[in-house]
């Protein structure tokens, strides 16, 4: 078990994804300073966890958090006017939120967490699912006029789906919380196919001729 400063957000950070943030609320400004002024040799990592209920700002705004979050490695920080900062982080490893450390004495939330491993599942199945998912992502991008972000690493592939396909917080959290690469790839395939069918249906509706106008 480890302790980690938390930054609750209304979104889900995935391993390998970039997260730009503008920080201005005093407690998170303090979190940033503590990360940058740390006296040990640890990398400046904080935890991003999606909010299940409540809001990300304001006193006692967060009432419930999802149980699985993602570490965020601070890679860039720039000071702006008026005690504001622009920072960029990158998603690292998943963690399980065990409990809140009430004894930490920090203005921001500090949690006790357990870093999670990344088991693959069946190796042959992973390779097959990854190939199918890459094909689906390419087809989705072609159909919607977008660009597909397709990692070479099979473990990172499903995590990158939200870069190509717009998913809500619930679907992103399901991907993050999947227990292994195999199950995550299966879920990602389902989500991409669902969104592609939805996009195809919208296109069919948009291209359908309008019925004759009737004043009645």
């Amino acid at each position: 078990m480890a302790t980690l400063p938390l930054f609750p957000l209304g979104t889900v950070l995935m391993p390998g994804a970039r997260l730009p943030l503008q920080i201005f609320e005093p407690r998170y400004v303090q979190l940033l300073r503590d990360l940058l002024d740390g006296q040990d040799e640890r990398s400046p990592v904080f935890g991003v966890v999606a909010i299940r209920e409540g809001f990300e700002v304001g006193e006692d705004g967060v009432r419930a958090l999802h149980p699985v979050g993602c570490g965020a490695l601070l890679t860039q920080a720039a000071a702006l006017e008026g005690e504001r900062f622009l920072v960029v982080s990158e998603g690292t490893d998943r963690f399980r939120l065990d409990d809140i450390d009430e004894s930490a004495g920090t203005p921001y939330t500090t949690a006790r967490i357990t870093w999670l491993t990344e088991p693959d599942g069946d190796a042959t199945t992973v390779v097959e699912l990854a190939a199918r998912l890459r094909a689906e992502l390419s087809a989705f991008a072609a159909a919607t006029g977008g660009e597909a972000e397709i990692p070479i690493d099979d473990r990172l592939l499903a995590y990158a789906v939200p870069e190509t396909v717009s998913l809500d917080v619930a679907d992103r959290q399901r991907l993050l919380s999947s227990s292994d690469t195999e199950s995550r790839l299966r879920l990602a395939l389902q989500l991409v196919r669902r969104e592609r069918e939805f996009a195809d249906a919208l296109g069919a509706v948009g291209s359908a001729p309008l019925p004759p106008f009737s004043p009645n």
Side-chain angles (χ1 to χ4, degrees):
M1 184 179 293
T3 58
L4 195 67
L6 289 189
F7 203 127
L9 288 174
T11 189
V12 177
L13 176 63
M14 298 290 187
R18 293 176 72 254
L19 176 67
L21 290 171
Q22 187 172 157
I23 295 177
F24 55 88
E25 191 177 353
R27 55 181 165 174
Y28 295 125
V29 170
Q30 186 61 51
L31 186 157
L32 176 62
R33 286 176 171 157
D34 289 348
L35 287 175
L36 295 176
D37 297 338
Q39 298 300 311
D40 55 28
E41 297 300 320
R42 291 181 303 174
S43 299
V45 174
F46 59 98
V48 172
V49 61
I51 299 167
R52 189 196 301 269
E53 182 183 1
F55 303 93
E56 65 267 39
V57 295
E59 290 297 325
D60 300 320
V62 176
R63 294 186 291 277
L65 301 172
H66 282 281
V68 177
C70 183
L73 174 64
L74 184 65
T75 58
Q76 299 178 48
L80 306 175
E81 293 183 358
E83 285 292 291
R84 294 181 299 122
F85 298 85
L86 182 63
V87 303
V88 178
S89 302
E90 181 176 328
T92 58
D93 302 311
R94 301 180 308 140
F95 63 84
R96 182 183 69 240
L97 179 61
D98 294 320
D99 58 34
I100 302 302
D101 186 0
E102 302 289 355
S103 65
T106 55
Y108 48 84
T109 300
T110 298
R112 297 184 182 92
I113 61 101
T114 299
W115 293 108
L116 299 176
T117 58
E118 292 287 333
D120 288 328
D122 182 75
T124 301
T125 304
V126 165
V127 172
E128 294 173 352
L129 290 172
R132 289 159 58 188
L133 181 55
R134 289 188 175 92
E136 286 288 341
L137 285 171
S138 296
F140 182 91
T144 58
E147 295 183 1
E149 297 286 341
I150 304 181
I152 298 175
D153 189 330
D154 290 345
R155 282 187 174 181
L156 292 177
L157 179 59
Y159 288 132
V161 165
E163 301 295 327
T164 301
V165 181
S166 179
L167 299 176
D168 62 19
V169 171
D171 286 335
R172 289 171 180 243
Q173 188 65 39
R174 289 169 64 200
L175 282 174
L176 185 68
S177 300
S178 295
S179 60
D180 54 60
T181 302
E182 180 183 345
S183 60
R184 187 174 296 108
L185 288 169
R186 289 187 187 280
L187 174 59
L189 267 172
Q190 295 172 10
L191 295 175
V192 174
R193 286 170 176 166
R194 182 195 70 189
E195 293 303 310
R196 186 181 176 192
E197 290 173 0
F198 184 60
D200 289 345
L202 284 179
V205 171
S207 61
L210 294 174
F213 174 74
S214 172
N216 300 315

